[in-house]
């Protein structure tokens, strides 16, 4: 399973820095980096909601499913 988190794309569209998003959401830079780099195993819905509110987007704008090449 490959869930891609497109925070970088939305940050660029909104012309917002990672630092600004971190401050608005109340999440550490380290945890935001884990999300951005696809290393997170889970995300709280309250965190996802806060990110969506800060970036004025929908969860589907941030999350993308890609089928693993090995499972086809």
């Amino acid at each position: 399973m490959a869930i891609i988190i497109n925070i970088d794309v939305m940050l660029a569209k909104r012309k917002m820095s990672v630092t600004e998003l971190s401050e608005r959401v109340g999440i550490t830079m380290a945890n935001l980096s884990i999300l951005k780099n696809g290393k997170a195993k889970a995300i709280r819905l309250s965190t996802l909601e806060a990110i969506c509110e800060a970036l004025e987007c929908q969860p589907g704008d941030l999350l993308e499913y890609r089928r693993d090449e090995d499972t086809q």
Side-chain angles (χ1 to χ4, degrees):
M1 174 178 77
I3 301 293
I4 310 302
I5 302 178
N6 295 312
I7 290 177
D8 284 339
V9 173
M10 292 307 299
L11 284 170
K13 286 182 178 179
R14 301 298 188 251
K15 296 180 172 64
M16 185 183 297
S17 70
V18 176
T19 304
E20 184 179 349
L21 180 62
S22 171
E23 291 170 356
R24 286 187 183 196
V25 173
I27 187 173
T28 65
M29 289 290 292
N31 284 336
L32 192 54
S33 178
I34 289 169
L35 282 172
K36 279 183 33 173
N37 295 325
K39 304 292 183 193
K41 298 292 181 192
I43 182 170
R44 290 181 184 208
L45 291 178
S46 59
T47 302
L48 181 59
E49 179 182 4
I51 292 170
C52 287
E53 184 175 331
L55 293 174
E56 298 179 0
C57 66
Q58 294 294 313
D61 296 328
L62 297 172
L63 303 174
E64 176 185 348
Y65 170 76
R66 288 191 196 153
R67 172 176 262 176
D68 286 340
E69 298 297 323
D70 299 334
T71 60
Q72 291 184 357

